[in-house]
């Protein structure tokens, strides 16, 4: 009884622990999803505001808004292109590392431009605009270079794969149009050859078994164990007479 209670308690604790773990994972996933949604919505609102400022304002404020909009658009497009390409091409991970370093400079410049939008001294801000434009141009050119290189690489791989696939399809099409020999005929011919070989092998084995075995050569009869000794004629013995032989 005590063993059953212990087992039941362990099972209950396991179920509770598993439920708590799954709950934490679900809450974390939901939280990350909400955070991504909030960040995306915030970016959309900020980009819309920057676009409105670039069109609706002139002078320093419009220039700063246009710089931020160009910088953010280029960096976001490059990030998406590299992230999608890295799923299929592992060599782009190094490019992602370079882009992360470039993103640090982009975030720094975007923050500086955002602070200058609230700067009341427009003359001082106007003096900084050439340097800001140069920095933004360098970052944008670097991001565009990474993005187009990744796209060119993916397009080249797609073209090579399509060429190989086209060659394979052409070969298969040629094989399908070859009506001179049907696959069924080839199989029938192979089966007939196999049957003939098996029949010939069986016939040769049967012939070898039915052939009469050669009779062994007659062995010489063994000599008597005690053959009669030849009669020895001594000189002092007389020759037998003919009448005594009869």
């Amino acid at each position: 009884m005590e063993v059953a209670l212990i087992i039941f308690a362990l099972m209950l604790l396991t179920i509770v622990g598993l439920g708590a773990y799954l709950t934490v994972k679900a809450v974390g996933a939901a939280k990350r999803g909400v955070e991504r949604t909030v960040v995306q919505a915030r970016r959309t609102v900020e980009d819309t505001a920057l676009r409105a400022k670039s069109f609706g304002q002139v002078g320093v404020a419009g220039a700063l808004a246009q710089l931020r909009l160009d910088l953010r658009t280029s960096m976001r497009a490059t990030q998406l292109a590299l992230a999608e390409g890295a799923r299929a091409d592992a060599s782009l991970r190094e490019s992602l590392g370079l882009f992360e370093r470039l993103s640090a400079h982009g975030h720094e410049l975007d923050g500086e431009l955002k602070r200058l939008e609230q700067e009341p001294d427009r003359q001082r801000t106007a003096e900084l605009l050439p340097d800001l434009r140069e920095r933004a141009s360098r970052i944008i050119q670097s991001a565009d270079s990474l993005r187009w290189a990744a796209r060119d690489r993916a397009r080249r791989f797609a073209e090579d794969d399509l060429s190989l696939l086209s060659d394979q399809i052409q070969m298969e099409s040629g094989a399908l149009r070859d009506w001179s020999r049907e696959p069924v005929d080839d199989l029938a011919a192979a089966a007939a050859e196999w049957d003939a070989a098996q029949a010939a092998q069986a016939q040769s084995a049967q012939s070898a078994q039915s052939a009469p075995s050669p009779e062994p050569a007659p062995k010489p009869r063994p000599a008597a164990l005690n053959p009669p000794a030849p009669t020895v004629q001594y000189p002092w013995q007389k020759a037998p007479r003919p009448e005594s032989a009869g």
Side-chain angles (χ1 to χ4, degrees), residues 67-68 70-71 74 109 113 130-142:
L67 275 179
R68 290 190 64 195
D70 294 342
L71 179 65
S74 176
L109 178 59
L113 292 173
D131 180 64
L132 295 174
R133 284 196 179 98
E134 182 181 358
R135 288 173 58 189
S137 177
R138 293 175 61 184
I139 295 175
I140 291 173
Q141 288 179 1
S142 299

Side-chain angles (χ1 to χ4, degrees), residues 50-180:
L50 289 174
R51 193 172 289 106
K53 289 180 181 180
S54 63
F55 286 110
Q57 296 182 2
V58 294
V60 177
L64 291 175
Q66 188 63 47
L67 275 179
R68 290 190 64 195
L69 185 62
D70 294 342
L71 179 65
R72 292 163 66 92
T73 302
S74 176
M75 297 296 289
R76 188 174 300 115
T78 304
Q79 183 180 12
L80 291 175
L82 292 178
E84 292 177 358
R87 296 190 186 98
D89 189 359
S91 62
L92 291 180
R93 294 177 181 175
E94 184 177 356
S95 300
L96 278 174
L98 294 176
F99 177 75
E100 290 177 358
R101 295 172 57 187
L102 184 65
S103 296
H105 293 278
H107 286 300
E108 181 181 358
L109 178 59
D110 184 70
E112 186 174 353
L113 292 173
K114 187 176 182 179
R115 289 190 297 269
L116 288 176
E117 287 179 347
Q118 308 298 327
E119 177 63 39
D121 190 355
R122 295 300 181 184
Q123 184 178 359
R124 177 62 177 170
T125 305
E127 293 176 358
L128 295 176
L129 270 178
D131 180 64
L132 295 174
R133 284 196 179 98
E134 182 181 358
R135 288 173 58 189
S137 177
R138 293 175 61 184
I139 295 175
I140 291 173
Q141 288 179 1
S142 299
D144 292 345
S145 177
L146 281 175
R147 183 175 68 255
W148 285 110
R151 290 177 177 175
D152 291 342
R153 182 180 179 86
R155 184 171 60 254
R156 181 58 183 271
F157 283 167
E159 291 177 356
D160 294 342
D161 185 68
L162 180 59
S163 299
L164 180 60
L165 180 61
S166 299
D167 295 339
Q168 293 177 352
I169 290 176
Q170 291 295 330
M171 294 176 61
E172 182 66 18
S173 299
L176 291 175
R177 290 191 179 95
D178 188 6
W179 295 287
S180 60

Side-chain angles (χ1 to χ4, degrees), residues 151-235:
R151 290 177 177 175
D152 291 342
R153 182 180 179 86
R155 184 171 60 254
R156 181 58 183 271
F157 283 167
E159 291 177 356
D160 294 342
D161 185 68
L162 180 59
S163 299
L164 180 60
L165 180 61
S166 299
D167 295 339
Q168 293 177 352
I169 290 176
Q170 291 295 330
M171 294 176 61
E172 182 66 18
S173 299
L176 291 175
R177 290 191 179 95
D178 188 6
W179 295 287
S180 60
R181 295 184 63 185
E182 294 293 335
V184 178
D185 296 339
D186 295 341
L187 291 176
E193 292 179 359
W194 172 261
D195 293 340
Q198 292 295 323
Q201 185 176 2
Q203 185 177 3
S204 61
Q206 185 177 3
S207 299
Q209 293 179 359
S210 60
S213 57
E215 296 183 356
K219 297 181 179 180
R221 297 179 63 182
L225 295 177
N226 297 316
T231 305
V232 181
Q233 296 291 332
Y234 295 99

